[in-house]
Amino acid sequence: MSFSLNIARSASLALVLALGGGVLTGCSDEAVQAQALAPVEIDRATSCELDGMLLIDYAGPKAQIHYAGQEKPSFFCDTVELFNTLLAGEQVRAVRMVYVQDMGKADWEHPEGHWIDAKTAVYVVGSKRHGSMGTTIASFAQKADAEKFAGEYGGTVYPYDGIKLDMVDLTGGALHDTRM
């Protein structure tokens, strides 16, 4: 009886360890997924998905899209390119997360960090400020910062879903860039 009791205890312990390991693996997978969707900082080598321009060389807000099944995000040297990509009919990859920079905190001439969820951001379209693609769409975490920016540089404030394809103009940047 003692022998079968030990076997039963060993089997129970093995089952607990196996289930516990599965729970830990599940938590670990969730942590890996959350980390995979976290914004990634740009460096000297980070280039634009569409035109290969180095992000760090240009002023104005940058963006990144985390696609399903893609380990690293796709970067954009300008929010105009981001919205063109998201709103164009050719977009067929599943988007998991989109980040833009909060220009209420980031330095316009040398934006680094300050990544925010693009869907919760507020945007200024039609300002006098330029990014890598010419006139850009400025992104902000706070509506008050967007309104202040629009008061100073012109433009109209919109929520994420207020940006439409006809507001996105790609003709002003790369064609006039003398640094490429």
Side-chain angles (χ1 to χ4, degrees):
M1 188 89 161
S2 170
F3 178 72
S4 57
L5 184 57
N6 285 338
I7 291 176
R9 285 183 183 160
S10 295
S12 296
L13 179 59
L15 180 61
V16 167
L17 289 175
L19 291 175
V23 169
L24 290 175
T25 300
C27 291
S28 176
D29 288 346
E30 288 175 18
V32 168
Q33 290 297 326
Q35 184 178 8
L37 291 179
V40 175
E41 192 52 58
I42 61 175
D43 60 29
R44 296 254 2 120
T46 307
S47 62
C48 179
E49 161 101 350
L50 299 181
D51 53 28
M53 293 167 59
L54 295 176
L55 274 65
I56 209 154
D57 289 343
Y58 297 92
K62 312 296 180 245
Q64 58 184 277
I65 298 176
H66 294 251
Y67 290 108
Q70 184 173 311
E71 185 179 323
K72 295 182 179 182
S74 294
F75 288 94
F76 299 86
C77 56
D78 199 295
T79 51
V80 170
E81 290 178 328
L82 168 76
F83 279 106
N84 184 66
T85 299
L86 292 173
L87 298 172
E90 306 85 51
Q91 174 59 21
V92 294
R93 295 186 282 179
V95 174
R96 298 193 64 215
M97 190 67 188
V98 181
Y99 291 102
V100 293
Q101 290 177 302
D102 178 4
M103 299 315 290
K105 293 183 179 176
D107 175 4
W108 189 274
E109 294 303 317
H110 304 284
E112 294 181 26
H114 304 288
W115 296 101
I116 56 174
D117 181 343
K119 291 184 179 181
T120 63
V122 181
Y123 300 89
V124 178
V125 176
S127 80
K128 297 173 191 167
R129 293 302 305 256
H130 286 205
S132 67
M133 301 309 294
T135 303
T136 192
I137 300 172
S139 48
F140 298 90
Q142 303 296 321
K143 187 175 182 181
D145 290 338
E147 290 169 342
K148 179 181 175 188
F149 179 89
E152 188 171 342
Y153 298 104
T156 306
V157 177
Y158 292 94
Y160 175 82
D161 58 2
I163 308 294
K164 305 300 178 202
L165 187 57
D166 63 350
M167 298 174 175
V168 180
D169 180 10
L170 290 175
T171 63
L175 295 176
H176 305 286
D177 185 7
T178 59
R179 294 180 286 180
M180 287 178 65

